Amino acid sequence: MNANPDVRPPAVSVIMPVLNEERHLRGVVRAILAQEYAGEMEVVIALGPSTDRTDEIAAELVAEDPRVHTVPNPTGRTPAALNAAIKASRHPIVVRVDGHGMLSPNYIATAVRLLEETGAQNVGGIMHAEGENDWERAVAAAMTSKIGVGNAAFHTGGEAGPAETVYLGVFRREALERQGGYNVEFIRAQDWELNFRIREAGGLIWFSPELRVSYRPRPSVRALAKQYKDYGRWRHVVARYHSGSINLRYLAPPTAVCAIAAGIVVGAALTPWGFVIPGGYLAAIVAGSIPAGKGLSLKARLQIPVALATMHMSWGWGFLTSPRSLAKKVIASRRPAVTAEDAKAV
């Protein structure tokens, strides 16, 4: 990373928004503290109003290692948590990690090297879904397959290069502070909105498959459905916020929901031929689940179509039912991008 071995790499602040993460928090923090990185490091955990043992585990982690700190996030909202953690942190490189994301051992060292090599303001990589039981493995297979998420590079991989947004992100602090942090109105999609402002100001966002974060999927159909409904709801907000951001991949789930609903109505009321549409969709996800489930147990493979349908239908429904009033509220909170020249003039 540095040509001169006597020069220590830059100090790093790892920020974590956490809410009800008792299952994964200890393991995630241990993976951060065990990073193969020679620079100074701190971990700042922003604690939402959890109803499980998250706060207790966080207190134990603080007592065990002086590099770990906590700050309160009474709203429980992710962007507010991130802003609180950024404010409480102090180092020039800021690494975002979620409460259920396990960093690969050289993640931070690789990210800092990429920041230096590319001149980017933010770098990120692959959201590598991994399950701990058959259901989670089925969801992970769905999330890393093209039939599940299309051609999203941070899910399925791809070539390194400039990107609109990246998963989580490793930032230069100056870029975060220049833009005023995250927009708290973006309950979801806050990464996209911040990266949009950074790009508008002339900054580079860089994707690299060298960076990998192991992600733990939601533990139930209900939790997965809520997650993807929120994704769809906020993706429509983003589309209204920035009309040029929509593409066919984002329109596929709502189109599928409408087509399947129409097919069922036509099939039930007019002609059985209407059932061809939902039947065709079912056949497609079953066929697509076969390569996605390679190497998994039979029980996990049988659940992949359920995971795919839950993701598609929930995302599509969330997109279709996203209220215009929500988009108007978010658009009203729009922050102009701030360039380096603008910041110097203040």
Side-chain angles (χ1 to χ4, degrees):
M1 182 173 57
N2 287 299
N4 186 347
D6 296 324
V7 178
R8 290 191 73 187
V12 166
S13 296
V14 180
I15 60 171
M16 296 180 61
V18 226
L19 180 69
N20 294 326
E21 290 288 359
E22 68 173 1
R23 182 179 172 192
H24 301 299
L25 181 59
R26 180 172 292 278
V28 169
V29 173
R30 283 179 172 172
I32 295 168
L33 297 175
Q35 284 286 297
E36 298 169 1
Y37 188 66
E40 186 180 350
M41 183 191 306
E42 66 174 351
V43 180
V44 181
I45 305 171
L47 294 170
S50 296
T51 56
D52 61 8
R53 294 184 59 252
T54 295
D55 287 9
E56 180 182 338
I57 294 169
E60 292 170 358
L61 291 166
V62 170
E64 293 165 7
D65 197 304
R67 294 173 293 177
V68 182
H69 314 281
T70 61
V71 291
N73 173 35
T75 70
R77 294 181 171 184
T78 300
L82 291 166
N83 286 343
I86 291 168
K87 185 176 180 180
S89 66
R90 55 197 173 91
H91 295 321
I93 305 297
V94 179
V95 181
R96 175 181 172 177
V97 180
D98 282 345
H100 43 268
M102 300 285 288
L103 301 186
S104 54
N106 63 346
Y107 179 90
I108 292 177
T110 302
V112 172
R113 171 176 60 79
L114 289 170
L115 284 172
E116 293 176 354
E117 290 177 353
T118 64
Q121 301 296 304
N122 180 22
V123 299
I126 294 175
M127 177 183 177
H128 183 65
E130 293 181 333
E132 296 179 332
N133 54 46
D134 286 325
W135 164 251
E136 291 180 2
R137 293 185 189 103
V139 176
M143 291 180 69
T144 54
S145 69
K146 290 192 175 181
I147 191 173
V149 295
N151 61 350
F154 69 83
H155 281 297
T156 61
E159 296 293 325
E164 286 190 355
T165 190
V166 289
Y167 178 55
L168 299 180
V170 177
F171 298 84
R172 298 178 189 271
R173 174 179 293 277
E174 60 192 27
L176 290 172
E177 292 182 344
R178 186 180 301 141
Q179 301 306 328
Y182 291 84
N183 185 332
V184 296
E185 295 297 339
F186 274 81
I187 309 305
R188 297 287 183 272
Q190 65 275 157
D191 294 313
W192 180 91
E193 193 276 337
L194 174 60
N195 286 318
F196 174 71
R197 280 186 282 133
I198 291 174
R199 288 187 291 107
E200 267 199 327
L204 175 66
I205 311 298
W206 189 264
F207 166 82
S208 174
E210 291 184 74
L211 297 173
R212 180 178 292 249
V213 181
S214 294
Y215 169 86
R216 299 293 185 253
R218 295 298 193 269
S220 67
V221 173
R222 182 176 181 177
L224 182 67
K226 182 182 184 306
Q227 178 188 19
Y228 272 79
K229 180 184 176 183
D230 287 345
Y231 283 171
R233 175 187 177 97
W234 281 91
R235 184 62 237 189
H236 204 165
V237 171
V238 167
R240 287 167 168 155
Y241 183 93
H242 177 47
S243 59
S245 69
I246 202 68
N247 60 41
L248 292 177
R249 175 165 65 90
Y250 298 127
L251 294 177
T255 300
V257 169
C258 292
I260 290 169
I264 291 173
V265 169
V266 170
L270 300 175
T271 171
W273 284 104
F275 292 116
V276 168
I277 296 175
Y281 171 77
L282 179 60
I285 61 172
V286 169
S289 70
I290 295 173
K294 187 177 180 180
L296 298 182
S297 68
L298 176 61
K299 186 176 180 181
R301 293 200 303 270
L302 291 174
Q303 294 182 86
I304 293 175
V306 178
L308 287 169
T310 301
M311 290 162 56
H312 293 163
M313 297 298 103
S314 300
W315 202 103
W317 180 250
F319 189 95
L320 291 168
T321 58
S322 181
R324 189 173 294 273
S325 59
L326 178 59
K328 287 181 178 178
K329 179 181 179 183
V330 168
I331 291 169
S333 74
R334 188 192 296 267
R335 298 179 182 178
V338 181
T339 65
E341 290 71 23
D342 293 333
K344 290 176 183 177
V346 174

